[in-house]
Every structure is written in C-alpha cells, then in structure tokens.
Amino acid sequence: MTEFWWVYLWPVLWIVIKILLLVVPLLIGVAYLTYAERKVIGAMHLRRGPNVVGPYGLLQPIADGMKLFFKETIIPTGANKVVFLVAPMLTFSLALIAWAVIPVGNGLVIANINVGVLYLFAISSLGVYGVLMAGWSSNSKYAFLGGLRSAAQMVSYEVSMGFIIITVLLVAGSLNLSDIVRAQQETIWFVVPLFPMAVIFFITTLAETNRHPFDMPEAEAELVSGYNVEYSAMTFALFFLGEYANMILMAGMTTILFLGGWLPILDVAPFNWIPGPIWFALKMAFVLFIFLWVRATFPRYRYDQLMRLGWKVFLPISLAAVVIVGGIVVAFDINPLGR
Amino acid sequence: MVIQALAFYLFSIITVVAAVMVISARNPVHSVLFLILAFFNSAGLFVLLGAEFLAMVMVVVYVGAVAVLFMFVVMMLDVNIAELRQGFLQYLPLGGIVGLVLLMELAVVAGGFVFSPEVSERFAAPIPVPSDIANTEALGNIIYTKYVYFFQAAGIILLVAMIGAIVLTHRSREGTRKQRISNQVNRRPEDTIEIKKVSTGSGI
C-alpha cells in the first residue's frame, strides 16, 4: 500500500499541487488584468475607471464574474451545438496548458522539456481553432466574418513570430526555456542585442492575441463583436478569460525570450534579494502595461494594412534577421551556455 | 511504465477513432476537426516515443498551418448534406478499388521491408540517454551534414510548389484600388495644396 502511494499516487498529487500553485495565481492575475485594463485606460482618458464595488473598485472583477456566472447560457437554434460549446472550452484550456513549460523562477517549472519554445509556439498556433470554431458554429454572418479574419491574421503573424523565435534560439543555443534564461544570465538580456526583434515580437504578439490595434476579429464597429457575438454567460466568460490568459502568456513569453525571465535587473545586493518569481511577475506586468497602453493609443488597423504589415514588412525583416544573426553567431562563435 | 502504456492506448485509440470519423462524418467541418484531433494525438504518440521535436513540428505544421487552411476552405463551402448522402453509394466502388490497391501496395512494401545493414548494426549499440543529447540537436546534426542534399532538394520542391501555386492562382484584376505606401509617403504639400488669397465678399 505504501509503495502504491509513493510510486503512483504521490507523483500525481504533487503534479496537481504544482498545477494549482501556478493556475490559481494566474486566474487571479487574469481577473485583475481586466481591472487594470479599465483603470489604466481610464487614467489615460482622464476618467476614474471602476471605483464603486469595493475599495478603489477592487472587487469589480469578482462582481463581473458573478454576473456572468448567474446569467443564462443561450445557444442559438441554428448553431452547431457541440462545436459551439467546445470552442470556448478549447480557447480557455489552451491558454492554461501552455503554462506547463513556463519557468517562473530558477527551476520553478512544471515540465522542464527540451523543446519548450516549440511547445509554446505549437500551443499558441492552436489558439486560432477556438475562434474559427466559434465563428463557424454560431451560424451568424458577423461571427463568421470574425472567424475568417482571425484565421488569416493569426496564421500570417505566426510566420514572422516563428522566425523571431529562431533568432533568439540561435543566440541562446537551446530550445529549453530555462536554458534561454540562463543564457541571458551568462551574457545580457536579449532585448539589448536583438532590440528590433523584440519590438517586432511584441507587435506580433498583439496580432496573435487579437488585441488592439489588430482586433479585427471583434471589431465592434463593423462586426458587432465578431466571433463571440452569439455567446452569453459562462461561454462568453471563457472566451474572455482565455483572451486575457493568452495576453499574460504572451507577456510571459516576451519576458523569457527578451527580458531575462526571472533574473533581477542588476545582480547586486538589494535586487537579488527579491525572489525570481516576483521579478518574473514584475516584468510581465510591464509588458502587459504596454499592451494596455497600445490599446489606449492607436486606432484600429484596416484589414489590408494588417496583412501588408505581416507579409510585406515583418516577414522580410525577420527572415533577414535570421540570416544575419545566424551569420554573426557562427562568425564570432557565440555560445553563451558553453556547449 | 503503466502510465506510459495507458497514455499510449489512450492516444492510439483516439487517433484511430478520429481517423475513422474523418471519413465517416457527414459534415466536412466536423471531418476537419476530427483530422486535427487525429494529428494532435499522433503528436502525443511521438512524445511517448521520445521524438519530442517531431511531435512539436507535427502540431505546428499540420495542426497550426495546414489544417487551418483546410478549415478555412471547408468552412466557406455551401454543403448540402442530403446531396452528400446520395453520392456516397455512387462513388463507393471506385473509392473502394483505390483503397484496396493502396492497401495491397502497403502490404507489399511492408512485406519486403528490411533494415539496411548499416542501421541494423546500430541496434546493437547502446541507446544514448535522452538527457545527454537533445532530440533536436541529434536531428539537426544528421539533417545538415549527412542528408544535406536531400534536405535542400525537399526545400526546393516546396519552393517550386509555392511559386506554382502563386502563378496558377494569382490574377491581377482591373479596377481594383490599391494602397501604394510609397506614393503616399512621397506626396509633398506643394504638389497637392494650393493656397489662394481670397478677397472678402467674392468667391474664388
């Protein structure tokens, strides 16, 4: 019996505990990201933002969640029921499972796999299915147009995103996310040598998460709310949470690839007393702030301009960067991990 | 080991069932969704084999790109389900013959399959510990050295296919309005704005 406990049950239980330790703060982060978005944009518009529910409006996300939870889930008669219900679940679960490989601190990762970057890339490329399925199964023209736009947009920007990730991999010499951060510990945060790539990566993450100024799939002025127009109550809430969890995920990816993950700003006394996960969260908060800042600043792109930017500007630049960075890495024998 | 075996059976059963559903589902969109499920679970099988790079590339390429385009096209088809049902029996003999021929060919190939002597020697060699050498690294070392010509040939075939697809489908239509960024950037105020002095009480 004790063997059964130590060999089978305990590892499973331990994994469940680790998952909970990661997912619970993540979901709280998602809830308060919506609050932060409203507060930050409010401040930028010279408004106050939510300030009624709780002190400083801090209970607003909980109130919103309760409201969505108690509303009725309406399924349109013309909808394809199974696909309609699977779509939000898929979006939400994909946003969560990607976190399995994110190292929030030195060694603090659920699955330290050797192809971590590829896993993240694969999961983020699956995100398009939630939107596509929702758009098709709703049997509504607005939702359908939103779904089509989203598919084209996400596939286009994935290409240049992949090339930018390759430049980072070339410099770091590893596909393991923890090793990429350690390579930055040995040298310098990759945002310094690869600054143009970091900027393009950030812009592609905006397009990948369907955020402003690339929120074509849910452009409320043309498509009402795009792919999620037929969704109500918890089905809508799952889309909403998935979208924000994806934003946090992309911020985490930017942090790991370019901003040195869990590393402190300077490796000197007051800074390296602060534990790694806190640095990681601070850096993600910084990237997320830029997400919100962009939303408050820029008007929406027109669809053909969006495609032009993806295919005619970012793709050639990132492709050239792979060649140039690869050449430099070989010429100067850059190998931060010493392998 | 037990968990791995359970995972293997789970993945393979879902793969087979999904593959059957791809051809038996009435609705083409459902077929594509089952195809994605089959791809995804076969990626899981690759992970169990220790080929994590192949698994991830499978998901990125097939699920993330190829199937999205399938879905994109299939979603826009206006499908009449009753019509599809009629066609099924009509095409069954032809499809059945093609399937049978393929099955026979597969049987012939599988029957005559032997490992080359070089590979069978390797079986005796100890399998390297996965933590010593990364899967991706091993694959890269062999693709870019020993099989570099095949790799380049595959790349050229893909390039030709890509150019072919563009040449076949691209047509420039008359009367479409395009945004030319260079023209917009090169515009100067002198070219477009004319400042006139208008005396009070009279028009231009």
Side-chain angles (χ1 to χ4, degrees):
Chain A
M1 191 61 209
T2 48
E3 190 212 326
F4 179 72
W5 163 255
W6 285 111
V7 177
Y8 294 102
L9 272 184
W10 174 243
V12 174
L13 207 66
W14 179 229
I15 290 175
V16 171
I17 291 170
K18 283 199 281 192
I19 292 173
L20 284 180
L21 278 177
L22 190 69
V23 166
V24 171
L26 175 68
L27 288 179
I28 295 171
V30 167
Y32 278 92
L33 178 59
T34 64
Y35 171 78
E37 174 165 40
R38 295 165 71 179
K39 272 289 188 195
V40 167
I41 291 178
M44 286 176 183
H45 290 171
L46 301 180
R47 294 183 285 114
R48 281 179 150 183
N51 62 351
V52 175
V53 190
Y56 303 104
L58 273 170
L59 297 178
Q60 186 68 44
I62 294 162
D64 286 344
M66 293 297 272
K67 181 198 77 174
L68 284 168
F69 193 74
F70 286 114
K71 275 191 160 183
E72 184 191 354
T73 305
I74 300 165
I75 299 174
T77 31
N80 195 312
K81 267 202 195 68
V82 179
V83 182
F84 187 82
L85 289 175
V86 167
M89 297 179 203
L90 186 75
T91 308
F92 185 63
S93 45
L94 283 177
L96 291 188
I97 60 171
W99 281 88
V101 295
I102 299 269
V104 293
N106 196 357
L108 292 179
V109 51
I110 293 175
N112 187 16
I113 60 174
N114 274 331
V115 287
V117 178
L118 276 175
Y119 175 83
L120 271 186
F121 190 56
I123 297 299
S124 72
S125 73
L126 290 180
V128 65
Y129 284 109
V131 179
L132 261 180
M133 284 161 73
W136 176 77
S137 66
S138 299
N139 206 359
S140 142
K141 41 175 118 41
Y142 296 117
F144 188 59
L145 282 171
L148 289 184
R149 280 181 177 192
S150 170
Q153 171 182 333
M154 287 169 93
V155 170
S156 312
Y157 277 81
E158 234 156 58
V159 183
S160 55
M161 190 174 172
F163 280 123
I164 295 162
I165 291 175
I166 289 175
T167 60
V168 175
L169 300 182
L170 284 172
V171 179
S174 174
L175 282 165
N176 187 315
L177 288 166
S178 304
D179 283 350
I180 289 174
V181 176
R182 282 186 201 114
Q184 297 179 64
Q185 192 169 18
E186 297 298 319
T187 52
I188 192 169
W189 294 4
F190 289 154
V191 69
V192 178
L194 297 172
F195 184 70
M197 293 299 101
V199 173
I200 297 179
F201 184 82
F202 179 73
I203 298 171
T204 50
T205 57
L206 286 178
E208 279 287 299
T209 48
N210 296 328
R211 288 286 300 176
H212 293 255
F214 308 116
D215 64 336
M216 291 297 135
E218 43 177 300
E220 70 275 355
E222 349 168 357
L223 295 182
V224 195
S225 178
Y227 66 92
N228 60 23
V229 68
E230 300 290 347
Y231 283 87
S232 55
M234 275 318 276
T235 51
F236 170 75
L238 285 183
F239 268 122
F240 196 71
L241 293 175
E243 190 185 318
Y244 280 82
N246 256 330
M247 277 168 66
I248 299 182
L249 174 71
M250 288 297 172
M253 224 164 138
T254 316
T255 306
I256 289 169
L257 294 180
F258 293 104
L259 296 178
W262 65 78
L263 304 175
I265 290 183
L266 292 169
D267 199 10
V268 291
F271 293 118
N272 56 18
W273 289 344
I274 301 169
I278 295 195
W279 277 114
F280 189 73
L282 281 176
K283 288 172 186 175
M284 281 204 306
F286 171 71
V287 178
L288 286 168
F289 174 75
I290 306 180
F291 264 84
L292 308 180
W293 188 9
V294 165
R295 177 177 171 182
T297 310
F298 291 108
R300 184 176 295 131
Y301 259 58
R302 211 173 58 205
Y303 192 66
D304 59 317
Q305 292 172 330
L306 173 85
M307 283 297 158
R308 182 183 166 275
L309 185 71
W311 288 106
K312 293 187 180 172
V313 181
F314 285 172
L315 182 60
I317 291 178
S318 52
L319 197 54
V322 170
V323 177
I324 295 168
V325 171
I328 292 172
V329 165
V330 172
F332 293 98
D333 200 19
I334 295 167
N335 191 1
L337 290 172
R339 276 193 281 185
Chain B
M1 281 325 271
V2 178
I3 294 169
Q4 276 186 355
L6 282 178
F8 170 76
Y9 285 117
L10 183 75
F11 285 140
S12 43
I13 288 169
I14 295 178
T15 309
V16 171
V17 171
V20 170
M21 290 304 287
V22 172
I23 50 172
S24 61
R26 290 263 176 256
N27 194 325
V29 175
H30 291 175
S31 285
V32 177
L33 289 173
F34 278 117
L35 184 67
I36 294 160
L37 190 64
F39 280 149
F40 199 73
N41 281 284
S42 43
L45 289 175
F46 274 128
V47 171
L48 286 182
L49 282 173
E52 70 258 15
F53 181 76
L54 278 181
M56 293 308 151
V57 168
M58 177 109 186
V59 175
V60 171
V61 174
Y62 283 99
V63 183
V66 175
V68 172
L69 296 179
F70 274 5
M71 188 99 171
F72 202 80
V73 174
V74 163
M75 274 192 346
M76 287 193 281
L77 295 176
D78 187 22
V79 199
N80 188 342
I81 292 176
E83 222 171 79
L84 278 180
R85 211 166 282 182
Q86 274 175 0
F88 186 68
L89 278 180
Q90 193 186 335
Y91 295 120
L92 186 64
L94 188 66
I97 289 169
V98 172
L100 210 65
V101 169
L102 282 177
L103 190 68
M104 295 293 283
E105 282 176 355
L106 268 180
V108 170
V109 170
F113 186 81
V114 278
F115 286 108
S116 76
E118 194 191 347
V119 176
S120 9
E121 276 167 29
R122 297 259 171 85
F123 288 147
I127 299 166
V129 186
S131 55
D132 285 357
I133 183 158
N135 196 287
T136 323
E137 228 173 297
L139 213 58
N141 274 336
I142 200 160
I143 283 182
Y144 293 113
T145 54
K146 198 172 173 194
Y147 296 112
V148 66
Y149 294 115
F150 297 101
F151 184 69
Q152 294 290 338
I156 289 169
I157 291 170
L158 283 176
L159 182 68
V160 169
M162 190 171 87
I163 293 172
I166 294 170
V167 168
L168 286 175
T169 53
H170 184 264
R171 59 197 160 111
S172 47
R173 282 177 297 162
E174 294 291 315
T176 50
R177 291 154 70 87
K178 272 188 186 159
Q179 182 181 21
R180 296 188 202 291
I181 304 282
S182 58
N183 288 2
Q184 291 180 339
V185 173
N186 286 331
R187 255 160 89 104
R188 293 277 162 264
E190 306 86 72
D191 305 337
T192 46
I193 300 174
E194 203 179 336
I195 297 171
K196 291 209 169 172
K197 200 93 177 163
V198 182
S199 51
T200 322
S202 65
I204 298 170

